[in-house]
Structures are given as C-alpha cells and as structure tokens.
Amino acid sequence: MNKDFVIQSTLQKGKNGDVQHLAIIMDGNRRWARRHGMAAHRGHFYGAKNIPDIVKAAVDRGIPCLTLFAFGAANMRRADDEREHLWRVARHFLPEVESTCLQAEVRLEFIGRLDRLPVELAAAV
C-alpha cells in the first residue's frame, strides 16, 4: 500500500477500546500525483489501487465497519473529462474490490446518490 497518499480518517472505538468503525475520505490523489510529477488524473488510479489493501488491513485488524468516501458533491462539479476518468477508474477497480470483499467475507455496500453516477457504473454497483 502506498503510504504517501493523504488519508483523512475517523475512528470510532468501542467500550473496550477496539476500533468499531474506520471511515476514510479518499482525498489528495491529485495533489499526490502532481508532487510526483504525474498528470493529476493518474493520482486517482494510484489511490484506487490501494482499496483492496485497505479492505484486507481492516479485516486483519478486526475492524467490523469500514467506510470509504470516494465521490462527493465536489467531484460532480469537476470538468467532464476528469469525471469520466473517475468513472473509468471506478469501473476498472470494482471487480477487484468486489473479489477482495467476497474472499474476506465482507459485505460491500454503496451508499449515497447513485442516481448521479453514469448508468453503466450505477448498474455495476
């Protein structure tokens, strides 16, 4: 897993101190790409590439609930070509994420305004 990415997270702990919920805002990928001399859109690819490792790490640590915040209202205001790239990245990694979750016996659930996604991507999720 690439540890250079900016990860904003929130932990909710139970009474015994165990992590009950980890929420991660997947942000900073464009900035990461620029710092590494890449086109901004490449950062989205490298960020998404980490999702299976994040799922596996949460399972290995016994975290029962993991939330990955990937698309917000701000993403919808980006240029058409950048939004299209985000959708392509999501379609590319969705099968691997699904496989990782199935192997780890993790329920995969999508929440939010799925009606704002392209029809093909909305159908896939």
Side-chain angles (χ1 to χ4, degrees):
M1 186 170 10
N2 188 334
K3 306 218 183 335
D4 289 339
F5 283 89
V6 175
I7 297 178
Q8 300 174 28
S9 64
T10 301
L11 292 175
Q12 292 179 346
K13 294 188 177 186
K15 290 181 181 179
N16 62 358
D18 289 347
V19 174
Q20 297 298 305
H21 182 196
L22 171 61
I24 299 174
I25 299 172
M26 297 169 52
D27 189 22
N29 294 320
R30 290 187 302 173
R31 290 184 298 274
W32 179 88
R34 288 179 185 134
R35 276 197 318 271
H36 289 83
M38 297 179 203
H41 71 273
R42 295 295 298 157
H44 300 301
F45 178 84
Y46 283 100
K49 194 167 99 168
N50 287 303
I51 294 172
D53 289 336
I54 291 169
V55 170
K56 289 174 191 169
V59 169
D60 290 347
R61 287 164 179 76
I63 299 171
C65 185
L66 170 66
T67 300
L68 301 177
F69 184 81
F71 299 110
N75 294 107
M76 302 309 282
R77 292 189 296 269
R78 292 186 180 177
D80 290 345
D81 62 332
E82 188 172 0
R83 271 198 325 273
E84 284 302 315
H85 176 74
L86 289 169
W87 308 145
R88 280 192 304 276
V89 167
R91 283 191 297 269
H92 176 82
F93 284 102
L94 191 56
E96 184 180 359
V97 170
E98 181 180 33
S99 174
T100 299
C101 289
L102 285 170
Q103 288 174 1
E105 297 182 353
V106 170
R107 183 180 72 198
L108 177 61
E109 186 174 332
F110 296 87
I111 59 175
R113 297 285 312 272
L114 301 180
D115 61 313
R116 296 181 78 185
L117 298 177
V119 173
E120 180 185 315
L121 182 56
V125 300

